[in-house]
PDB file of all heavy atoms in Angstrom:
ATOM      1  N   GLN A   1     -15.967  22.286 -11.600  1.00  0.00           N
ATOM      2  CA  GLN A   1     -16.919  23.391 -11.577  1.00  0.00           C
ATOM      3  C   GLN A   1     -16.247  24.716 -11.901  1.00  0.00           C
ATOM      4  O   GLN A   1     -16.906  25.657 -12.313  1.00  0.00           O
ATOM      5  CB  GLN A   1     -17.579  23.480 -10.202  1.00  0.00           C
ATOM      6  CG  GLN A   1     -18.461  22.295  -9.893  1.00  0.00           C
ATOM      7  CD  GLN A   1     -19.062  22.406  -8.513  1.00  0.00           C
ATOM      8  OE1 GLN A   1     -18.391  22.799  -7.567  1.00  0.00           O
ATOM      9  NE2 GLN A   1     -20.328  22.050  -8.404  1.00  0.00           N
ATOM     10  N   MET A   2     -14.923  24.772 -11.710  1.00  0.00           N
ATOM     11  CA  MET A   2     -14.208  26.019 -11.963  1.00  0.00           C
ATOM     12  C   MET A   2     -13.768  26.149 -13.417  1.00  0.00           C
ATOM     13  O   MET A   2     -13.357  27.191 -13.857  1.00  0.00           O
ATOM     14  CB  MET A   2     -12.978  26.114 -11.052  1.00  0.00           C
ATOM     15  CG  MET A   2     -13.317  26.215  -9.581  1.00  0.00           C
ATOM     16  SD  MET A   2     -11.879  26.562  -8.583  1.00  0.00           S
ATOM     17  CE  MET A   2     -11.236  24.937  -8.292  1.00  0.00           C
ATOM     18  N   GLU A   3     -13.813  25.037 -14.157  1.00  0.00           N
ATOM     19  CA  GLU A   3     -13.353  25.048 -15.541  1.00  0.00           C
ATOM     20  C   GLU A   3     -14.509  24.736 -16.466  1.00  0.00           C
ATOM     21  O   GLU A   3     -15.521  24.182 -16.064  1.00  0.00           O
ATOM     22  CB  GLU A   3     -12.265  23.979 -15.728  1.00  0.00           C
ATOM     23  CG  GLU A   3     -11.056  24.192 -14.853  1.00  0.00           C
ATOM     24  CD  GLU A   3     -10.085  23.015 -14.944  1.00  0.00           C
ATOM     25  OE1 GLU A   3     -10.414  22.016 -15.616  1.00  0.00           O
ATOM     26  OE2 GLU A   3      -9.026  23.097 -14.337  1.00  0.00           O
ATOM     27  N   ARG A   4     -14.320  25.044 -17.731  1.00  0.00           N
ATOM     28  CA  ARG A   4     -15.320  24.674 -18.724  1.00  0.00           C
ATOM     29  C   ARG A   4     -15.287  23.165 -18.910  1.00  0.00           C
ATOM     30  O   ARG A   4     -14.244  22.541 -18.873  1.00  0.00           O
ATOM     31  CB  ARG A   4     -15.043  25.377 -20.046  1.00  0.00           C
ATOM     32  CG  ARG A   4     -15.291  26.849 -19.979  1.00  0.00           C
ATOM     33  CD  ARG A   4     -15.076  27.514 -21.295  1.00  0.00           C
ATOM     34  NE  ARG A   4     -15.548  26.673 -22.382  1.00  0.00           N
ATOM     35  CZ  ARG A   4     -15.054  26.713 -23.600  1.00  0.00           C
ATOM     36  NH1 ARG A   4     -14.087  27.541 -23.887  1.00  0.00           N
ATOM     37  NH2 ARG A   4     -15.524  25.938 -24.543  1.00  0.00           N
ATOM     38  N   GLU A   5     -16.430  22.568 -19.152  1.00  0.00           N
ATOM     39  CA  GLU A   5     -16.545  21.110 -19.269  1.00  0.00           C
ATOM     40  C   GLU A   5     -15.713  20.560 -20.423  1.00  0.00           C
ATOM     41  O   GLU A   5     -15.142  19.496 -20.329  1.00  0.00           O
ATOM     42  CB  GLU A   5     -18.023  20.727 -19.467  1.00  0.00           C
ATOM     43  CG  GLU A   5     -18.314  19.254 -19.401  1.00  0.00           C
ATOM     44  CD  GLU A   5     -18.019  18.655 -18.033  1.00  0.00           C
ATOM     45  OE1 GLU A   5     -18.252  19.304 -17.024  1.00  0.00           O
ATOM     46  OE2 GLU A   5     -17.570  17.501 -18.006  1.00  0.00           O
ATOM     47  N   ASP A   6     -15.619  21.318 -21.531  1.00  0.00           N
ATOM     48  CA  ASP A   6     -14.892  20.786 -22.691  1.00  0.00           C
ATOM     49  C   ASP A   6     -13.389  21.057 -22.631  1.00  0.00           C
ATOM     50  O   ASP A   6     -12.668  20.780 -23.570  1.00  0.00           O
ATOM     51  CB  ASP A   6     -15.472  21.355 -23.997  1.00  0.00           C
ATOM     52  CG  ASP A   6     -15.395  22.873 -24.047  1.00  0.00           C
ATOM     53  OD1 ASP A   6     -14.963  23.501 -23.053  1.00  0.00           O
ATOM     54  OD2 ASP A   6     -15.779  23.445 -25.077  1.00  0.00           O
ATOM     55  N   ALA A   7     -12.900  21.547 -21.497  1.00  0.00           N
ATOM     56  CA  ALA A   7     -11.474  21.832 -21.379  1.00  0.00           C
ATOM     57  C   ALA A   7     -10.651  20.561 -21.191  1.00  0.00           C
ATOM     58  O   ALA A   7      -9.462  20.553 -21.429  1.00  0.00           O
ATOM     59  CB  ALA A   7     -11.225  22.787 -20.213  1.00  0.00           C
ATOM     60  N   THR A   8     -11.297  19.470 -20.775  1.00  0.00           N
ATOM     61  CA  THR A   8     -10.589  18.214 -20.553  1.00  0.00           C
ATOM     62  C   THR A   8     -10.751  17.319 -21.765  1.00  0.00           C
ATOM     63  O   THR A   8     -11.857  17.062 -22.214  1.00  0.00           O
ATOM     64  CB  THR A   8     -11.148  17.489 -19.314  1.00  0.00           C
ATOM     65  OG1 THR A   8     -11.019  18.354 -18.197  1.00  0.00           O
ATOM     66  CG2 THR A   8     -10.413  16.199 -19.051  1.00  0.00           C
ATOM     67  N   GLU A   9      -9.633  16.869 -22.288  1.00  0.00           N
ATOM     68  CA  GLU A   9      -9.677  15.973 -23.434  1.00  0.00           C
ATOM     69  C   GLU A   9      -9.353  14.557 -22.969  1.00  0.00           C
ATOM     70  O   GLU A   9      -8.354  14.321 -22.307  1.00  0.00           O
ATOM     71  CB  GLU A   9      -8.640  16.426 -24.472  1.00  0.00           C
ATOM     72  CG  GLU A   9      -8.661  15.602 -25.725  1.00  0.00           C
ATOM     73  CD  GLU A   9      -7.662  16.111 -26.734  1.00  0.00           C
ATOM     74  OE1 GLU A   9      -7.446  17.331 -26.799  1.00  0.00           O
ATOM     75  OE2 GLU A   9      -7.093  15.285 -27.447  1.00  0.00           O
ATOM     76  N   MET A  10     -10.229  13.621 -23.300  1.00  0.00           N
ATOM     77  CA  MET A  10     -10.024  12.228 -22.912  1.00  0.00           C
ATOM     78  C   MET A  10      -9.218  11.514 -23.996  1.00  0.00           C
ATOM     79  O   MET A  10      -9.451  11.714 -25.181  1.00  0.00           O
ATOM     80  CB  MET A  10     -11.372  11.502 -22.751  1.00  0.00           C
ATOM     81  CG  MET A  10     -12.260  12.138 -21.738  1.00  0.00           C
ATOM     82  SD  MET A  10     -11.572  11.914 -20.107  1.00  0.00           S
ATOM     83  CE  MET A  10     -12.862  12.568 -19.118  1.00  0.00           C
ATOM     84  N   ILE A  11      -8.287  10.692 -23.562  1.00  0.00           N
ATOM     85  CA  ILE A  11      -7.528   9.891 -24.515  1.00  0.00           C
ATOM     86  C   ILE A  11      -7.638   8.429 -24.124  1.00  0.00           C
ATOM     87  O   ILE A  11      -7.758   8.090 -22.950  1.00  0.00           O
ATOM     88  CB  ILE A  11      -6.037  10.311 -24.560  1.00  0.00           C
ATOM     89  CG1 ILE A  11      -5.394  10.156 -23.174  1.00  0.00           C
ATOM     90  CG2 ILE A  11      -5.864  11.711 -25.071  1.00  0.00           C
ATOM     91  CD1 ILE A  11      -3.895  10.273 -23.190  1.00  0.00           C
ATOM     92  N   ALA A  12      -7.621   7.569 -25.110  1.00  0.00           N
ATOM     93  CA  ALA A  12      -7.675   6.130 -24.853  1.00  0.00           C
ATOM     94  C   ALA A  12      -6.248   5.617 -24.728  1.00  0.00           C
ATOM     95  O   ALA A  12      -5.392   5.916 -25.562  1.00  0.00           O
ATOM     96  CB  ALA A  12      -8.396   5.420 -25.988  1.00  0.00           C
ATOM     97  N   LEU A  13      -6.000   4.854 -23.674  1.00  0.00           N
ATOM     98  CA  LEU A  13      -4.679   4.289 -23.466  1.00  0.00           C
ATOM     99  C   LEU A  13      -4.620   2.911 -24.111  1.00  0.00           C
ATOM    100  O   LEU A  13      -5.574   2.142 -24.012  1.00  0.00           O
ATOM    101  CB  LEU A  13      -4.372   4.173 -21.971  1.00  0.00           C
ATOM    102  CG  LEU A  13      -4.359   5.487 -21.219  1.00  0.00           C
ATOM    103  CD1 LEU A  13      -4.179   5.230 -19.732  1.00  0.00           C
ATOM    104  CD2 LEU A  13      -3.226   6.355 -21.727  1.00  0.00           C
ATOM    105  N   PRO A  14      -3.517   2.575 -24.760  1.00  0.00           N
ATOM    106  CA  PRO A  14      -3.424   1.253 -25.373  1.00  0.00           C
ATOM    107  C   PRO A  14      -3.391   0.170 -24.297  1.00  0.00           C
ATOM    108  O   PRO A  14      -2.810   0.349 -23.234  1.00  0.00           O
ATOM    109  CB  PRO A  14      -2.099   1.303 -26.141  1.00  0.00           C
ATOM    110  CG  PRO A  14      -1.314   2.382 -25.466  1.00  0.00           C
ATOM    111  CD  PRO A  14      -2.313   3.364 -24.941  1.00  0.00           C
ATOM    112  N   ALA A  15      -4.038  -0.948 -24.596  1.00  0.00           N
ATOM    113  CA  ALA A  15      -4.060  -2.062 -23.649  1.00  0.00           C
ATOM    114  C   ALA A  15      -2.695  -2.744 -23.625  1.00  0.00           C
ATOM    115  O   ALA A  15      -1.997  -2.807 -24.634  1.00  0.00           O
ATOM    116  CB  ALA A  15      -5.135  -3.071 -24.064  1.00  0.00           C
ATOM    117  N   VAL A  16      -2.334  -3.238 -22.460  1.00  0.00           N
ATOM    118  CA  VAL A  16      -1.093  -3.989 -22.337  1.00  0.00           C
ATOM    119  C   VAL A  16      -1.337  -5.365 -22.939  1.00  0.00           C
ATOM    120  O   VAL A  16      -2.227  -6.096 -22.496  1.00  0.00           O
ATOM    121  CB  VAL A  16      -0.666  -4.113 -20.851  1.00  0.00           C
ATOM    122  CG1 VAL A  16       0.560  -4.971 -20.717  1.00  0.00           C
ATOM    123  CG2 VAL A  16      -0.444  -2.742 -20.262  1.00  0.00           C
ATOM    124  N   GLU A  17      -0.595  -5.707 -23.972  1.00  0.00           N
ATOM    125  CA  GLU A  17      -0.854  -6.953 -24.676  1.00  0.00           C
ATOM    126  C   GLU A  17      -0.023  -8.109 -24.154  1.00  0.00           C
ATOM    127  O   GLU A  17      -0.450  -9.252 -24.200  1.00  0.00           O
ATOM    128  CB  GLU A  17      -0.586  -6.769 -26.171  1.00  0.00           C
ATOM    129  CG  GLU A  17      -1.556  -5.792 -26.812  1.00  0.00           C
ATOM    130  CD  GLU A  17      -1.297  -5.599 -28.277  1.00  0.00           C
ATOM    131  OE1 GLU A  17      -0.534  -6.378 -28.860  1.00  0.00           O
ATOM    132  OE2 GLU A  17      -1.863  -4.650 -28.833  1.00  0.00           O
ATOM    133  N   GLN A  18       1.165  -7.840 -23.658  1.00  0.00           N
ATOM    134  CA  GLN A  18       2.039  -8.921 -23.247  1.00  0.00           C
ATOM    135  C   GLN A  18       2.276  -8.863 -21.748  1.00  0.00           C
ATOM    136  O   GLN A  18       2.589  -7.823 -21.197  1.00  0.00           O
ATOM    137  CB  GLN A  18       3.380  -8.800 -23.985  1.00  0.00           C
ATOM    138  CG  GLN A  18       4.233 -10.030 -23.854  1.00  0.00           C
ATOM    139  CD  GLN A  18       5.472  -9.919 -24.718  1.00  0.00           C
ATOM    140  OE1 GLN A  18       5.955  -8.824 -24.974  1.00  0.00           O
ATOM    141  NE2 GLN A  18       5.975 -11.042 -25.151  1.00  0.00           N
ATOM    142  N   LYS A  19       2.092 -10.020 -21.097  1.00  0.00           N
ATOM    143  CA  LYS A  19       2.321 -10.091 -19.658  1.00  0.00           C
ATOM    144  C   LYS A  19       3.813 -10.201 -19.407  1.00  0.00           C
ATOM    145  O   LYS A  19       4.519 -10.901 -20.123  1.00  0.00           O
ATOM    146  CB  LYS A  19       1.632 -11.326 -19.082  1.00  0.00           C
ATOM    147  CG  LYS A  19       0.134 -11.289 -19.153  1.00  0.00           C
ATOM    148  CD  LYS A  19      -0.439 -12.562 -18.562  1.00  0.00           C
ATOM    149  CE  LYS A  19      -1.935 -12.595 -18.725  1.00  0.00           C
ATOM    150  NZ  LYS A  19      -2.505 -13.843 -18.203  1.00  0.00           N
ATOM    151  N   PRO A  20       4.314  -9.530 -18.368  1.00  0.00           N
ATOM    152  CA  PRO A  20       5.733  -9.667 -18.037  1.00  0.00           C
ATOM    153  C   PRO A  20       6.009 -11.069 -17.495  1.00  0.00           C
ATOM    154  O   PRO A  20       5.146 -11.679 -16.864  1.00  0.00           O
ATOM    155  CB  PRO A  20       5.956  -8.602 -16.966  1.00  0.00           C
ATOM    156  CG  PRO A  20       4.607  -8.367 -16.376  1.00  0.00           C
ATOM    157  CD  PRO A  20       3.619  -8.631 -17.472  1.00  0.00           C
ATOM    158  N   LEU A  21       7.192 -11.555 -17.757  1.00  0.00           N
ATOM    159  CA  LEU A  21       7.587 -12.874 -17.293  1.00  0.00           C
ATOM    160  C   LEU A  21       8.191 -12.749 -15.902  1.00  0.00           C
ATOM    161  O   LEU A  21       9.190 -12.055 -15.712  1.00  0.00           O
ATOM    162  CB  LEU A  21       8.600 -13.489 -18.268  1.00  0.00           C
ATOM    163  CG  LEU A  21       9.023 -14.916 -17.975  1.00  0.00           C
ATOM    164  CD1 LEU A  21       7.820 -15.848 -18.018  1.00  0.00           C
ATOM    165  CD2 LEU A  21      10.058 -15.373 -18.985  1.00  0.00           C
ATOM    166  N   LEU A  22       7.562 -13.395 -14.921  1.00  0.00           N
ATOM    167  CA  LEU A  22       8.049 -13.373 -13.548  1.00  0.00           C
ATOM    168  C   LEU A  22       8.585 -14.755 -13.188  1.00  0.00           C
ATOM    169  O   LEU A  22       8.000 -15.771 -13.564  1.00  0.00           O
ATOM    170  CB  LEU A  22       6.930 -13.014 -12.569  1.00  0.00           C
ATOM    171  CG  LEU A  22       6.296 -11.625 -12.698  1.00  0.00           C
ATOM    172  CD1 LEU A  22       5.180 -11.463 -11.686  1.00  0.00           C
ATOM    173  CD2 LEU A  22       7.319 -10.536 -12.522  1.00  0.00           C
ATOM    174  N   SER A  23       9.677 -14.779 -12.438  1.00  0.00           N
ATOM    175  CA  SER A  23      10.210 -16.055 -11.959  1.00  0.00           C
ATOM    176  C   SER A  23       9.247 -16.615 -10.911  1.00  0.00           C
ATOM    177  O   SER A  23       8.426 -15.870 -10.362  1.00  0.00           O
ATOM    178  CB  SER A  23      11.595 -15.845 -11.339  1.00  0.00           C
ATOM    179  OG  SER A  23      11.464 -15.155 -10.108  1.00  0.00           O
ATOM    180  N   PRO A  24       9.350 -17.914 -10.596  1.00  0.00           N
ATOM    181  CA  PRO A  24       8.477 -18.467  -9.556  1.00  0.00           C
ATOM    182  C   PRO A  24       8.611 -17.711  -8.220  1.00  0.00           C
ATOM    183  O   PRO A  24       7.623 -17.475  -7.532  1.00  0.00           O
ATOM    184  CB  PRO A  24       8.954 -19.915  -9.427  1.00  0.00           C
ATOM    185  CG  PRO A  24       9.521 -20.244 -10.772  1.00  0.00           C
ATOM    186  CD  PRO A  24      10.135 -18.963 -11.257  1.00  0.00           C
ATOM    187  N   ARG A  25       9.832 -17.302  -7.857  1.00  0.00           N
ATOM    188  CA  ARG A  25      10.044 -16.573  -6.604  1.00  0.00           C
ATOM    189  C   ARG A  25       9.385 -15.199  -6.668  1.00  0.00           C
ATOM    190  O   ARG A  25       8.761 -14.748  -5.714  1.00  0.00           O
ATOM    191  CB  ARG A  25      11.542 -16.438  -6.327  1.00  0.00           C
ATOM    192  CG  ARG A  25      11.844 -15.720  -5.033  1.00  0.00           C
ATOM    193  CD  ARG A  25      11.321 -16.431  -3.808  1.00  0.00           C
ATOM    194  NE  ARG A  25      12.347 -17.301  -3.281  1.00  0.00           N
ATOM    195  CZ  ARG A  25      12.180 -18.118  -2.265  1.00  0.00           C
ATOM    196  NH1 ARG A  25      11.019 -18.181  -1.648  1.00  0.00           N
ATOM    197  NH2 ARG A  25      13.161 -18.884  -1.856  1.00  0.00           N
ATOM    198  N   GLN A  26       9.507 -14.514  -7.825  1.00  0.00           N
ATOM    199  CA  GLN A  26       8.880 -13.198  -7.975  1.00  0.00           C
ATOM    200  C   GLN A  26       7.362 -13.327  -7.916  1.00  0.00           C
ATOM    201  O   GLN A  26       6.684 -12.491  -7.316  1.00  0.00           O
ATOM    202  CB  GLN A  26       9.315 -12.550  -9.291  1.00  0.00           C
ATOM    203  CG  GLN A  26      10.769 -12.151  -9.309  1.00  0.00           C
ATOM    204  CD  GLN A  26      11.266 -11.816 -10.704  1.00  0.00           C
ATOM    205  OE1 GLN A  26      10.624 -12.123 -11.699  1.00  0.00           O
ATOM    206  NE2 GLN A  26      12.441 -11.185 -10.761  1.00  0.00           N
ATOM    207  N   GLN A  27       6.821 -14.385  -8.506  1.00  0.00           N
ATOM    208  CA  GLN A  27       5.375 -14.621  -8.467  1.00  0.00           C
ATOM    209  C   GLN A  27       4.927 -14.858  -7.020  1.00  0.00           C
ATOM    210  O   GLN A  27       3.884 -14.360  -6.589  1.00  0.00           O
ATOM    211  CB  GLN A  27       5.014 -15.831  -9.339  1.00  0.00           C
ATOM    212  CG  GLN A  27       3.526 -16.043  -9.500  1.00  0.00           C
ATOM    213  CD  GLN A  27       2.850 -14.987 -10.341  1.00  0.00           C
ATOM    214  OE1 GLN A  27       3.352 -14.554 -11.371  1.00  0.00           O
ATOM    215  NE2 GLN A  27       1.681 -14.551  -9.902  1.00  0.00           N
ATOM    216  N   GLU A  28       5.758 -15.584  -6.263  1.00  0.00           N
ATOM    217  CA  GLU A  28       5.459 -15.862  -4.865  1.00  0.00           C
ATOM    218  C   GLU A  28       5.460 -14.564  -4.052  1.00  0.00           C
ATOM    219  O   GLU A  28       4.552 -14.309  -3.252  1.00  0.00           O
ATOM    220  CB  GLU A  28       6.518 -16.833  -4.325  1.00  0.00           C
ATOM    221  CG  GLU A  28       6.164 -17.519  -3.051  1.00  0.00           C
ATOM    222  CD  GLU A  28       7.209 -18.570  -2.649  1.00  0.00           C
ATOM    223  OE1 GLU A  28       8.309 -18.616  -3.236  1.00  0.00           O
ATOM    224  OE2 GLU A  28       6.893 -19.322  -1.729  1.00  0.00           O
ATOM    225  N   VAL A  29       6.474 -13.724  -4.267  1.00  0.00           N
ATOM    226  CA  VAL A  29       6.559 -12.439  -3.565  1.00  0.00           C
ATOM    227  C   VAL A  29       5.359 -11.569  -3.932  1.00  0.00           C
ATOM    228  O   VAL A  29       4.748 -10.928  -3.072  1.00  0.00           O
ATOM    229  CB  VAL A  29       7.891 -11.723  -3.885  1.00  0.00           C
ATOM    230  CG1 VAL A  29       7.869 -10.278  -3.402  1.00  0.00           C
ATOM    231  CG2 VAL A  29       9.058 -12.474  -3.264  1.00  0.00           C
ATOM    232  N   LEU A  30       4.985 -11.564  -5.204  1.00  0.00           N
ATOM    233  CA  LEU A  30       3.845 -10.776  -5.659  1.00  0.00           C
ATOM    234  C   LEU A  30       2.563 -11.227  -4.962  1.00  0.00           C
ATOM    235  O   LEU A  30       1.745 -10.402  -4.545  1.00  0.00           O
ATOM    236  CB  LEU A  30       3.700 -10.883  -7.176  1.00  0.00           C
ATOM    237  CG  LEU A  30       2.583 -10.070  -7.817  1.00  0.00           C
ATOM    238  CD1 LEU A  30       2.756  -8.584  -7.547  1.00  0.00           C
ATOM    239  CD2 LEU A  30       2.550 -10.323  -9.319  1.00  0.00           C
ATOM    240  N   SER A  31       2.386 -12.536  -4.786  1.00  0.00           N
ATOM    241  CA  SER A  31       1.179 -13.028  -4.104  1.00  0.00           C
ATOM    242  C   SER A  31       1.171 -12.585  -2.636  1.00  0.00           C
ATOM    243  O   SER A  31       0.120 -12.273  -2.081  1.00  0.00           O
ATOM    244  CB  SER A  31       1.054 -14.543  -4.229  1.00  0.00           C
ATOM    245  OG  SER A  31       2.061 -15.187  -3.500  1.00  0.00           O
ATOM    246  N   PHE A  32       2.369 -12.539  -2.004  1.00  0.00           N
ATOM    247  CA  PHE A  32       2.433 -12.047  -0.626  1.00  0.00           C
ATOM    248  C   PHE A  32       2.117 -10.548  -0.568  1.00  0.00           C
ATOM    249  O   PHE A  32       1.499 -10.079   0.393  1.00  0.00           O
ATOM    250  CB  PHE A  32       3.805 -12.322  -0.012  1.00  0.00           C
ATOM    251  CG  PHE A  32       4.070 -13.781   0.274  1.00  0.00           C
ATOM    252  CD1 PHE A  32       5.314 -14.337   0.029  1.00  0.00           C
ATOM    253  CD2 PHE A  32       3.084 -14.609   0.786  1.00  0.00           C
ATOM    254  CE1 PHE A  32       5.568 -15.674   0.282  1.00  0.00           C
ATOM    255  CE2 PHE A  32       3.314 -15.949   1.047  1.00  0.00           C
ATOM    256  CZ  PHE A  32       4.557 -16.486   0.791  1.00  0.00           C
ATOM    257  N   LEU A  33       2.536  -9.790  -1.586  1.00  0.00           N
ATOM    258  CA  LEU A  33       2.212  -8.367  -1.646  1.00  0.00           C
ATOM    259  C   LEU A  33       0.703  -8.182  -1.763  1.00  0.00           C
ATOM    260  O   LEU A  33       0.132  -7.284  -1.145  1.00  0.00           O
ATOM    261  CB  LEU A  33       2.922  -7.694  -2.827  1.00  0.00           C
ATOM    262  CG  LEU A  33       4.447  -7.608  -2.761  1.00  0.00           C
ATOM    263  CD1 LEU A  33       4.991  -6.958  -4.033  1.00  0.00           C
ATOM    264  CD2 LEU A  33       4.914  -6.851  -1.535  1.00  0.00           C
ATOM    265  N   GLN A  34       0.067  -9.049  -2.561  1.00  0.00           N
ATOM    266  CA  GLN A  34      -1.381  -8.961  -2.720  1.00  0.00           C
ATOM    267  C   GLN A  34      -2.089  -9.215  -1.392  1.00  0.00           C
ATOM    268  O   GLN A  34      -3.110  -8.597  -1.102  1.00  0.00           O
ATOM    269  CB  GLN A  34      -1.863  -9.971  -3.765  1.00  0.00           C
ATOM    270  CG  GLN A  34      -3.357  -9.879  -4.014  1.00  0.00           C
ATOM    271  CD  GLN A  34      -3.899 -11.023  -4.841  1.00  0.00           C
ATOM    272  OE1 GLN A  34      -3.322 -12.095  -4.889  1.00  0.00           O
ATOM    273  NE2 GLN A  34      -5.025 -10.782  -5.489  1.00  0.00           N
ATOM    274  N   GLU A  35      -1.529 -10.108  -0.574  1.00  0.00           N
ATOM    275  CA  GLU A  35      -2.119 -10.402   0.730  1.00  0.00           C
ATOM    276  C   GLU A  35      -1.874  -9.282   1.739  1.00  0.00           C
ATOM    277  O   GLU A  35      -2.441  -9.280   2.825  1.00  0.00           O
ATOM    278  CB  GLU A  35      -1.539 -11.707   1.286  1.00  0.00           C
ATOM    279  CG  GLU A  35      -1.957 -12.935   0.517  1.00  0.00           C
ATOM    280  CD  GLU A  35      -1.256 -14.196   1.008  1.00  0.00           C
ATOM    281  OE1 GLU A  35      -0.836 -14.222   2.187  1.00  0.00           O
ATOM    282  OE2 GLU A  35      -1.121 -15.128   0.205  1.00  0.00           O
ATOM    283  N   GLY A  36      -0.994  -8.330   1.381  1.00  0.00           N
ATOM    284  CA  GLY A  36      -0.723  -7.197   2.274  1.00  0.00           C
ATOM    285  C   GLY A  36       0.333  -7.486   3.327  1.00  0.00           C
ATOM    286  O   GLY A  36       0.413  -6.784   4.329  1.00  0.00           O
ATOM    287  N   LEU A  37       1.169  -8.523   3.101  1.00  0.00           N
ATOM    288  CA  LEU A  37       2.215  -8.843   4.068  1.00  0.00           C
ATOM    289  C   LEU A  37       3.347  -7.816   4.021  1.00  0.00           C
ATOM    290  O   LEU A  37       3.653  -7.264   2.967  1.00  0.00           O
ATOM    291  CB  LEU A  37       2.785 -10.238   3.792  1.00  0.00           C
ATOM    292  CG  LEU A  37       1.814 -11.420   3.907  1.00  0.00           C
ATOM    293  CD1 LEU A  37       2.550 -12.735   3.665  1.00  0.00           C
ATOM    294  CD2 LEU A  37       1.140 -11.453   5.257  1.00  0.00           C
ATOM    295  N   THR A  38       3.988  -7.595   5.163  1.00  0.00           N
ATOM    296  CA  THR A  38       5.129  -6.685   5.244  1.00  0.00           C
ATOM    297  C   THR A  38       6.400  -7.425   4.847  1.00  0.00           C
ATOM    298  O   THR A  38       6.412  -8.665   4.777  1.00  0.00           O
ATOM    299  CB  THR A  38       5.291  -6.144   6.677  1.00  0.00           C
ATOM    300  OG1 THR A  38       5.582  -7.252   7.540  1.00  0.00           O
ATOM    301  CG2 THR A  38       4.034  -5.414   7.141  1.00  0.00           C
ATOM    302  N   ASN A  39       7.477  -6.693   4.609  1.00  0.00           N
ATOM    303  CA  ASN A  39       8.753  -7.335   4.263  1.00  0.00           C
ATOM    304  C   ASN A  39       9.212  -8.329   5.326  1.00  0.00           C
ATOM    305  O   ASN A  39       9.626  -9.436   4.981  1.00  0.00           O
ATOM    306  CB  ASN A  39       9.834  -6.284   3.993  1.00  0.00           C
ATOM    307  CG  ASN A  39       9.646  -5.612   2.656  1.00  0.00           C
ATOM    308  OD1 ASN A  39       8.785  -5.990   1.869  1.00  0.00           O
ATOM    309  ND2 ASN A  39      10.453  -4.609   2.380  1.00  0.00           N
TER     310      ASN A  39
END
């Protein structure tokens, strides 16, 4: 509300095309992070 509406320029971000390769242990840790478990 304090700025003019056209003062913000939107840019499109490129999509991530390649998934990073995670080891089975890293994938396991990532799933525990998703569950919200602590260290």
Side-chain angles (χ1 to χ4, degrees):
Q1 293 178 318
M2 295 188 274
E3 300 173 355
R4 290 183 38 208
E5 189 64 37
D6 59 356
T8 302
E9 183 178 326
M10 302 291 186
I11 59 168
L13 299 175
V16 176
E17 295 180 13
Q18 193 174 29
K19 294 180 185 178
L21 185 61
L22 297 178
S23 71
R25 181 62 92 184
Q26 291 167 345
Q27 187 70 42
E28 197 174 12
V29 168
L30 182 60
S31 68
F32 289 140
L33 293 178
Q34 183 191 24
E35 292 174 25
L37 298 183
T38 63
N39 285 354

